[in-house]
Structures are given as structure tokens and as C-alpha cells.
Amino acid sequence: MEKPLILVTMGTNDYPFTRLYNCIAADPLYSSSEVEWFIQCGSCDVAMPPLNGTVSELVSRRQMDELIQRAALVISHCGIGSLNQVLQFQKRTMLVPRVERFGEFSDDHQLQIANEINNSRLLVVFPDDPFPALDLLQIKSDAMITCERVDIVNYDVAEIVKRKLAS
Amino acid sequence: MPGVTSLSDPVRALPLNIRSSPAKRDVVLVVSSAGGHLNEALCALSLVEADLHLVCNKNMLDNARFRKIHTVRDTQYNPSIHALNFLYGIWLFLTIRPNAMFSAGGPICLPFALLAKATRTKFVYLDTMARVSSLSNTGRIIEKYGLCDVFLCQWKSIAEQYDSIEYCGTVFSMSDQKSDQPASRAA
């Protein structure tokens, strides 16, 4: 039987994100064979891979879509691209904004966007919040749910762009 | 005889839709850094029917939306790359002759913004949704030097600070109806 997948995505920028790696590596599920991990680490250093899983620097958009669709839980930086994809698949996601004070980005824009999030499926772990322990029962339960892709595009904006490009 | 096409005339024998050349589609050059900027561009261009050529710093997109993806070098740590990308942009403008240009941000769009200005190609710029309280660095440069024809911003509070910027709303929705959390949490 397929193990529930925990997908971690750290983005494509060149800044480190050791704090997120330390949080997931400290969780007992990181060294458990009951779950499968996929870590898209970008240029971040993953000192020790999970017991059962894959570490990849970059994946194509299509592969990331497939991984998100398959995942029982997504743990992600708070980048717009990742946010867009997890929202499309309505995945339960833990969002960890990269912050400037830890050298994780050049500014705190991920914190700004995190403050605007208003969605019951998305849990934002702010820099001073403790990283929640991963709940295996919840993950196994979420793995049973099939998430269809939903269209989250704001077509009012798309119409404005279409009109501006044409005029 | 009226209504009869002579088979000895191969051109006249062709059906009308093959004989006449199809209407030429507009070409839009899309310049966007990979990741969030590109996701935003894809949402914003959902209704645009033109041929889209993408200029991007990574080719991680297996997307049928674009006619062609042109990869340029990233400028994050080496601004002199802009000069190389500018030269590449000249070649691209000459080759594909875009009717308009669109960007959802990322510094790689700057040399292409200059080219759009120089060639009087219409340039619609959408500042990234990721910047909630102030323009992105690229957006600031575009606004300061008037490098675009239309400057769209996804956050009202930013748009209100500039006469030249139009507020349009976010390209995708971050909310769900089940949530009872406040819309904005204090930092």
C-alpha cells in the first residue's frame, strides 16, 4: 500500500532555509517508514535525507502539480508560486514564511503575504511560533481524500489584462 | 460556367479556407522570472488569445500555453547580465516582432522594458502579488522611469500611493468560504 506523502517545497531562490529543514528533520516522522517524503530543496542544504523519501533541487511545474495532488500534507515556504499550486489542489498546507532576520530572503515580503492569508486549509507558522508536531493519524486520514483541481484565477483581472494588451 | 471550378486551375480548385491566408494572430512577449512571477503571469493571461512567447530565467515549464520559451540568464547576483539579456532581447524583438509585451515582474524584465520603450511596443506591467505594502524593486524602477504603458498593481493600498498605477485586484484568490479567520493578521 502506498505510504502517505509529505511534500516539502522550499522554492527556487538562492537563499538558505535551514530553519525549515531543522524543523522537519526534528520531527519523528522524518525518520519513520510510515510516511514517504519528497523534499524540493532548491539551493538549500539538506544535511540528512529522510528515512523514506526523495530530495530534489528542482522539479518541473507539471511534476510539482502531480506531487501536490498526491500529497497528504504540504509543508512550504510562503512563495506565491507554491501558494497558487496548493490552493488549486485545496491541500492542507503548513506555510513557513522566509524572513530577512534569519537570512532566508532579502526582505520580509513572504511575511506580508502570510498576513493576508485567510483559508482554513492553510496554517501559517510565523517565525516566533513553534513548529507543530506532525500528526500521523491526520496525515493518513488526509491521504484518503482525493483533491480535484479547482480554478482559482480571478477572471476580472484576466479581463483587464486582456483589454489593456489589446487596446 | 458559374459555380464550376476548372480542375486545370489548381489554385482555383482549392477550397476557399486554404487559398486565403489565415488572419495573423497577435504576438505577445511575456517576460517573467520563474516561480511565483510566472504563476501570476499565467493567471493574468488566462483570457489572452494571442501567440505567447515566454522569456524566463528557468525552463521548468512544460506548458502548452506558450508558443516558445526563451531562457535568459538570471540577474539576481550579477546585474551585468542585464547587458547580455538586452542584446538577446534585440534579437528577439527583431525575430518575433511582438505586438505587445507583458510582465508580472522579476528583474529580468528590465532590459526588455527598455526595448519595448525604444520600439514603441505596448508594455503592460503587473507588479507582483507578493509585495503587499510597497512596490517590488523592479516595480519601483519601472514606475520611476516610466518604462511601461500600463502599470497594474494587485494591492489597493500601494496603487493609491501613485497616480500612474492602476489597481486591479489579485490574480488569484487566497480565501475559502469555510474560513472564519480574520482577513488580515497583525504582523
Side-chain angles (χ1 to χ4, degrees), chain B residues 31-33 55 72-73 75-76 79 81-83 85-87 89 93 101-118 123 125 127 136-148 151:
Chain B
V31 187
S32 217
S33 295
V55 175
V72 295
R73 293 179 66 183
T75 54
Q76 193 162 14
I81 297 294
H82 280 309
N85 288 351
F86 183 81
L87 294 174
F93 267 73
M101 189 173 108
F102 176 82
S103 178
I108 65 164
C109 81
L110 289 172
F112 292 86
L114 288 172
L115 284 164
K117 188 94 177 163
F123 176 30
Y125 177 81
D127 203 45
S136 65
N137 292 335
T138 306
R140 279 197 202 110
I141 294 170
I142 299 274
E143 196 278 332
K144 185 176 179 182
Y145 296 103
L147 295 180
C148 66
F151 194 125

Coordinates of all heavy atoms in Angstrom, one line a residue, chain B residues 31-33 55 72-73 75-76 79 81-83 85-87 89 93 101-118 123 125 127 136-148 151:
Chain B
V31 N 7.6 38.4 -20.3 CA 8.9 38.3 -19.7 C 8.6 38.1 -18.2 O 8.1 39.0 -17.5 CB 9.7 39.5 -19.9 CG1 11.1 39.4 -19.4 CG2 9.8 39.8 -21.4
S32 N 9.1 37.0 -17.6 CA 8.8 36.8 -16.2 C 9.8 35.9 -15.6 O 10.1 34.9 -16.2 CB 7.4 36.2 -16.1 OG 6.7 36.7 -15.0
S33 N 10.2 36.2 -14.4 CA 11.1 35.2 -13.7 C 10.3 34.0 -13.3 O 9.1 34.0 -13.2 CB 11.6 35.9 -12.4 OG 12.4 37.0 -12.7
V55 N 9.8 34.7 -22.1 CA 11.2 34.9 -21.7 C 11.3 34.6 -20.2 O 10.7 35.3 -19.4 CB 11.8 36.3 -22.0 CG1 13.2 36.4 -21.5 CG2 11.7 36.5 -23.5
V72 N 16.7 33.0 -20.5 CA 17.8 34.0 -20.4 C 18.5 33.8 -19.0 O 18.0 33.1 -18.2 CB 17.3 35.5 -20.4 CG1 16.8 35.8 -21.8 CG2 16.3 35.8 -19.4
R73 N 19.7 34.4 -18.8 CA 20.4 34.2 -17.6 C 19.8 35.0 -16.5 O 19.3 36.1 -16.7 CB 21.9 34.5 -17.8 CG 22.5 33.5 -18.7 CD 24.0 33.8 -19.0 NE 24.8 33.6 -17.7 CZ 26.1 33.9 -17.7 NH1 26.7 34.3 -18.7 NH2 26.7 33.7 -16.6
T75 N 19.6 37.4 -13.2 CA 20.4 38.6 -12.9 C 20.5 38.9 -11.4 O 21.0 39.9 -11.0 CB 19.6 39.8 -13.5 OG1 18.3 39.8 -13.1 CG2 19.7 39.8 -15.0
Q76 N 20.1 37.9 -10.6 CA 20.0 38.2 -9.1 C 21.3 38.6 -8.5 O 21.4 39.5 -7.7 CB 19.4 36.9 -8.4 CG 19.0 37.2 -7.0 CD 18.1 36.1 -6.5 OE1 18.0 35.0 -7.0 NE2 17.4 36.4 -5.3
P79 N 24.3 41.9 -11.9 CA 23.5 42.9 -12.7 C 24.0 43.1 -14.1 O 23.3 43.5 -15.0 CB 23.6 44.2 -11.9 CG 23.9 43.8 -10.5 CD 24.8 42.6 -10.7
I81 N 24.6 41.0 -16.2 CA 23.9 40.0 -17.1 C 22.8 40.8 -17.8 O 22.4 40.4 -19.0 CB 23.3 38.9 -16.2 CG1 24.4 38.0 -15.6 CG2 22.4 37.9 -17.1 CD1 25.3 37.3 -16.5
H82 N 22.3 41.9 -17.3 CA 21.2 42.7 -17.9 C 21.7 43.1 -19.3 O 20.9 43.1 -20.3 CB 20.9 43.9 -17.2 CG 20.0 43.7 -16.0 ND1 18.8 43.0 -16.1 CD2 20.1 44.1 -14.7 CE1 18.2 43.0 -14.9 NE2 18.9 43.6 -14.1
A83 N 23.0 43.4 -19.5 CA 23.5 43.8 -20.8 C 23.4 42.7 -21.8 O 23.0 42.9 -22.9 CB 25.0 44.3 -20.6
N85 N 21.4 40.2 -21.6 CA 19.9 39.9 -21.9 C 19.4 41.0 -22.8 O 18.5 40.7 -23.6 CB 19.2 39.8 -20.6 CG 19.4 38.6 -19.8 OD1 20.1 37.7 -20.3 ND2 19.0 38.5 -18.6
F86 N 19.9 42.2 -22.7 CA 19.5 43.3 -23.6 C 19.8 42.9 -25.0 O 19.0 43.1 -25.9 CB 20.2 44.6 -23.2 CG 19.7 45.8 -24.0 CD1 18.5 46.5 -23.6 CD2 20.5 46.3 -25.0 CE1 18.1 47.6 -24.4 CE2 20.1 47.4 -25.8 CZ 18.9 48.0 -25.4
L87 N 21.0 42.5 -25.3 CA 21.4 42.1 -26.6 C 20.5 40.9 -27.1 O 20.1 40.9 -28.3 CB 22.9 41.7 -26.6 CG 23.9 42.8 -26.3 CD1 25.3 42.2 -26.2 CD2 23.8 43.9 -27.4
G89 N 17.6 40.4 -26.2 CA 16.3 41.0 -26.4 C 16.2 41.6 -27.7 O 15.1 41.6 -28.4
F93 N 13.3 40.7 -30.3 CA 12.3 41.7 -30.8 C 12.4 41.7 -32.4 O 11.3 41.8 -33.0 CB 12.6 43.1 -30.3 CG 11.9 43.5 -29.1 CD1 12.2 42.9 -27.8 CD2 10.8 44.4 -29.1 CE1 11.5 43.2 -26.7 CE2 10.1 44.7 -28.0 CZ 10.4 44.1 -26.8
M101 N 3.9 43.6 -25.0 CA 4.7 42.9 -24.1 C 4.0 42.9 -22.7 O 3.4 43.9 -22.4 CB 6.1 43.5 -24.0 CG 7.1 42.7 -23.2 SD 8.8 43.4 -23.3 CE 9.0 44.1 -21.7
F102 N 4.2 41.8 -21.9 CA 3.6 41.7 -20.6 C 4.6 41.1 -19.6 O 5.4 40.2 -20.0 CB 2.4 40.8 -20.7 CG 1.8 40.6 -19.3 CD1 0.9 41.5 -18.8 CD2 2.1 39.4 -18.5 CE1 0.3 41.3 -17.5 CE2 1.5 39.3 -17.3 CZ 0.6 40.2 -16.8
S103 N 4.6 41.7 -18.4 CA 5.5 41.1 -17.4 C 4.7 41.1 -16.0 O 4.0 42.1 -15.7 CB 6.8 41.8 -17.3 OG 7.5 41.3 -16.2
A104 N 4.9 40.1 -15.3 CA 4.4 40.0 -13.9 C 5.6 40.2 -12.9 O 5.5 39.8 -11.8 CB 3.6 38.8 -13.6
G105 N 6.7 40.7 -13.4 CA 7.8 41.1 -12.5 C 9.0 40.2 -12.5 O 9.0 39.2 -13.3
G106 N 9.9 40.5 -11.7 CA 11.2 39.9 -11.7 C 12.2 40.8 -12.5 O 11.8 41.3 -13.5
P107 N 13.4 40.9 -12.0 CA 14.3 41.9 -12.6 C 14.7 41.6 -14.0 O 15.1 42.5 -14.7 CB 15.6 41.9 -11.7 CG 15.4 40.6 -10.9 CD 14.0 40.3 -10.8
I108 N 14.5 40.3 -14.5 CA 14.9 40.1 -15.9 C 14.0 40.9 -16.9 O 14.4 40.9 -18.0 CB 14.8 38.5 -16.2 CG1 13.4 38.0 -16.2 CG2 15.7 37.7 -15.4 CD1 13.2 36.7 -16.9
C109 N 13.0 41.5 -16.4 CA 12.1 42.2 -17.4 C 12.7 43.6 -17.7 O 12.3 44.2 -18.7 CB 10.7 42.3 -16.9 SG 10.4 43.6 -15.7
L110 N 13.7 44.1 -16.9 CA 14.1 45.4 -17.1 C 14.7 45.7 -18.5 O 14.3 46.7 -19.1 CB 15.1 45.8 -16.0 CG 14.5 46.0 -14.6 CD1 15.5 46.2 -13.5 CD2 13.5 47.2 -14.6
P111 N 15.7 44.9 -19.0 CA 16.2 45.3 -20.3 C 15.1 45.2 -21.4 O 15.1 45.9 -22.4 CB 17.3 44.2 -20.6 CG 17.1 43.2 -19.5 CD 16.4 43.8 -18.4
F112 N 14.2 44.3 -21.2 CA 13.1 44.1 -22.2 C 12.1 45.3 -22.1 O 11.5 45.7 -23.1 CB 12.4 42.8 -22.0 CG 13.2 41.6 -22.3 CD1 14.1 41.1 -21.3 CD2 13.2 41.0 -23.6 CE1 14.9 40.0 -21.6 CE2 14.0 40.0 -23.9 CZ 14.9 39.4 -22.9
A113 N 12.0 45.9 -20.9 CA 11.2 47.1 -20.8 C 11.8 48.2 -21.6 O 11.1 49.0 -22.2 CB 11.1 47.5 -19.3
L114 N 13.1 48.4 -21.5 CA 13.8 49.4 -22.3 C 13.6 49.2 -23.8 O 13.4 50.1 -24.6 CB 15.4 49.4 -22.0 CG 15.8 49.9 -20.7 CD1 17.3 49.6 -20.4 CD2 15.5 51.4 -20.6
L115 N 13.7 47.9 -24.2 CA 13.5 47.6 -25.7 C 12.0 47.9 -26.1 O 11.8 48.4 -27.2 CB 13.8 46.1 -25.9 CG 15.3 45.8 -26.0 CD1 15.6 44.3 -25.8 CD2 15.9 46.4 -27.3
A116 N 11.1 47.6 -25.2 CA 9.7 47.9 -25.5 C 9.5 49.4 -25.7 O 8.8 49.9 -26.6 CB 8.8 47.4 -24.4
K117 N 10.2 50.2 -24.8 CA 10.1 51.6 -24.9 C 10.7 52.1 -26.2 O 10.2 52.9 -26.9 CB 10.9 52.2 -23.7 CG 10.8 53.7 -23.5 CD 9.6 54.0 -22.6 CE 9.5 55.5 -22.3 NZ 8.2 55.8 -21.7
A118 N 11.9 51.6 -26.5 CA 12.6 52.0 -27.7 C 11.9 51.7 -29.0 O 11.9 52.4 -30.0 CB 14.0 51.4 -27.8
F123 N 3.7 48.0 -23.5 CA 4.1 47.1 -22.4 C 3.2 47.3 -21.2 O 3.0 48.4 -20.6 CB 5.6 47.6 -22.0 CG 6.1 46.8 -20.8 CD1 5.8 45.5 -20.5 CD2 7.1 47.5 -20.0 CE1 6.3 44.9 -19.4 CE2 7.6 46.8 -18.9 CZ 7.2 45.5 -18.6
Y125 N 2.6 46.1 -17.4 CA 3.4 45.6 -16.3 C 2.5 45.3 -15.1 O 1.7 46.2 -14.8 CB 4.5 46.5 -15.9 CG 5.3 46.1 -14.7 CD1 6.3 45.1 -14.8 CD2 5.0 46.6 -13.4 CE1 7.0 44.7 -13.7 CE2 5.7 46.1 -12.3 CZ 6.7 45.2 -12.5 OH 7.4 44.7 -11.4
D127 N 2.6 44.4 -11.2 CA 3.6 44.2 -10.1 C 3.1 43.0 -9.3 O 1.9 42.7 -9.1 CB 3.6 45.5 -9.2 CG 4.9 45.5 -8.4 OD1 6.0 45.2 -9.0 OD2 4.9 45.7 -7.2
S136 N 7.6 46.2 -5.6 CA 8.8 45.4 -5.7 C 9.9 46.4 -6.2 O 9.6 47.4 -6.7 CB 8.6 44.3 -6.7 OG 8.4 44.8 -8.0
N137 N 11.1 45.9 -6.0 CA 12.3 46.7 -6.5 C 12.1 47.0 -8.0 O 12.4 48.1 -8.5 CB 13.6 46.0 -6.2 CG 13.9 46.0 -4.7 OD1 13.4 46.9 -4.0 ND2 14.6 45.0 -4.3
T138 N 11.8 45.9 -8.8 CA 11.6 46.1 -10.2 C 10.5 47.0 -10.5 O 10.6 47.9 -11.4 CB 11.3 44.7 -10.9 OG1 12.3 43.8 -10.5 CG2 11.2 44.8 -12.4
G139 N 9.4 46.9 -9.8 CA 8.2 47.8 -10.0 C 8.6 49.3 -9.7 O 8.2 50.2 -10.5
R140 N 9.4 49.5 -8.7 CA 9.9 50.9 -8.4 C 10.6 51.5 -9.6 O 10.4 52.6 -10.0 CB 10.8 50.9 -7.2 CG 10.1 50.9 -5.9 CD 11.0 51.3 -4.7 NE 10.3 50.7 -3.5 CZ 10.8 49.7 -2.8 NH1 12.0 49.2 -3.1 NH2 10.2 49.3 -1.7
I141 N 11.5 50.7 -10.2 CA 12.3 51.2 -11.3 C 11.4 51.4 -12.5 O 11.5 52.5 -13.2 CB 13.4 50.2 -11.7 CG1 14.4 50.1 -10.6 CG2 14.1 50.6 -13.0 CD1 15.4 48.9 -10.7
I142 N 10.5 50.5 -12.8 CA 9.6 50.6 -13.9 C 8.7 51.9 -13.8 O 8.5 52.7 -14.7 CB 8.6 49.4 -14.0 CG1 9.4 48.1 -14.2 CG2 7.5 49.6 -15.1 CD1 9.7 47.8 -15.6
E143 N 8.3 52.1 -12.5 CA 7.4 53.3 -12.3 C 8.2 54.6 -12.3 O 7.8 55.6 -13.0 CB 6.8 53.1 -10.9 CG 5.6 54.0 -10.6 CD 6.0 55.4 -10.2 OE1 7.0 55.6 -9.6 OE2 5.2 56.4 -10.4
K144 N 9.4 54.6 -11.7 CA 10.2 55.8 -11.6 C 10.6 56.3 -13.0 O 10.6 57.5 -13.3 CB 11.5 55.5 -10.8 CG 12.3 56.7 -10.5 CD 13.5 56.4 -9.7 CE 14.4 57.7 -9.4 NZ 15.5 57.4 -8.6
Y145 N 11.0 55.4 -13.9 CA 11.4 55.8 -15.2 C 10.4 55.7 -16.3 O 10.7 55.8 -17.5 CB 12.7 55.0 -15.6 CG 13.8 55.3 -14.6 CD1 14.2 54.4 -13.7 CD2 14.5 56.5 -14.7 CE1 15.2 54.6 -12.7 CE2 15.6 56.8 -13.8 CZ 15.9 55.9 -12.8 OH 16.9 56.1 -11.9
G146 N 9.1 55.4 -15.9 CA 8.0 55.4 -16.9 C 8.3 54.4 -18.0 O 8.1 54.7 -19.1
L147 N 8.7 53.2 -17.6 CA 9.1 52.2 -18.6 C 8.0 51.3 -19.1 O 8.2 50.4 -20.0 CB 10.2 51.3 -18.0 CG 11.5 51.9 -17.7 CD1 12.5 50.9 -17.2 CD2 12.1 52.6 -18.9
C148 N 6.7 51.6 -18.6 CA 5.6 50.8 -19.2 C 4.5 51.7 -19.6 O 4.4 52.9 -19.2 CB 5.1 49.8 -18.1 SG 4.4 50.5 -16.7
F151 N 0.6 50.3 -15.9 CA 1.2 49.7 -14.6 C 0.0 49.2 -13.8 O -0.8 50.1 -13.3 CB 2.0 50.7 -13.9 CG 2.9 50.2 -12.8 CD1 4.3 50.4 -12.8 CD2 2.4 49.4 -11.8 CE1 5.1 49.9 -11.9 CE2 3.2 48.8 -10.8 CZ 4.6 49.1 -10.9

